Amino acid sequence: RMYDSFDSLWRGWRRIYLHAFDQNSGKLLRSAASVFCFSLLPFFLAVPVFLGGSAALEITLAVILAIIFATAFKAHSIVKAKKRAAFLHPLAASVFFLILLDALHMAFLKKPTHWR
């Protein structure tokens, strides 16, 4: 196994993204914003929209959520993972977003990377 705990998984992926984006705060911020806007925001908007939004807004959001899940199902199919795990996309995207924010924090403060 690559990681033996959630903490080591977090630190490992934080280090990977920190260096993949050259410790550049701007690049990390853009990536985190992209994950938030395209993978998380639609889920945050779902409750208020479906409780009191217009029919057009509800349909638009339903289509966006369907596209997100269809993409997740396709990705799981490509890597031969269990397709039902695609329903965990909002949780996985949340963890990914938080790891990117942590990497952004390290890049902004110019904190050193610890390699195991």
Side-chain angles (χ1 to χ4, degrees):
R1 291 190 165 234
M2 191 168 169
Y3 301 110
D4 59 1
S5 70
F6 185 75
D7 186 53
S8 65
L9 177 140
W10 186 283
R11 284 190 323 266
W13 282 102
R14 179 185 62 199
R15 180 184 66 239
I16 288 168
Y17 288 112
L18 185 61
H19 292 283
F21 291 107
D22 301 320
Q23 299 180 350
N24 182 305
S25 297
K27 290 178 182 179
L28 285 160
L29 181 60
R30 283 190 298 278
S31 182
S34 176
V35 170
F36 181 78
C37 290
F38 297 111
S39 285
L40 294 175
L41 185 59
F43 292 98
F44 286 118
L45 295 175
V47 173
V49 166
F50 290 126
L51 287 178
S54 69
L57 196 53
E58 289 176 2
I59 291 169
T60 302
L61 186 58
V63 169
I64 291 169
L65 293 174
I67 290 169
I68 290 171
F69 280 118
T71 303
F73 280 116
K74 183 61 178 177
H76 280 69
S77 174
I78 290 169
V79 299
K80 298 182 179 16
K82 294 178 182 174
K83 291 179 187 166
R84 67 179 179 258
F87 285 112
L88 295 174
H89 174 77
L91 177 62
S94 297
V95 171
F96 178 41
F97 173 68
L98 292 172
I99 290 171
L100 285 170
L101 288 182
D102 197 16
L104 172 63
H105 177 250
M106 287 187 71
F108 185 76
L109 296 179
K110 300 198 183 322
K111 285 189 169 185
T113 302
H114 299 287
W115 296 89
R116 292 194 184 226

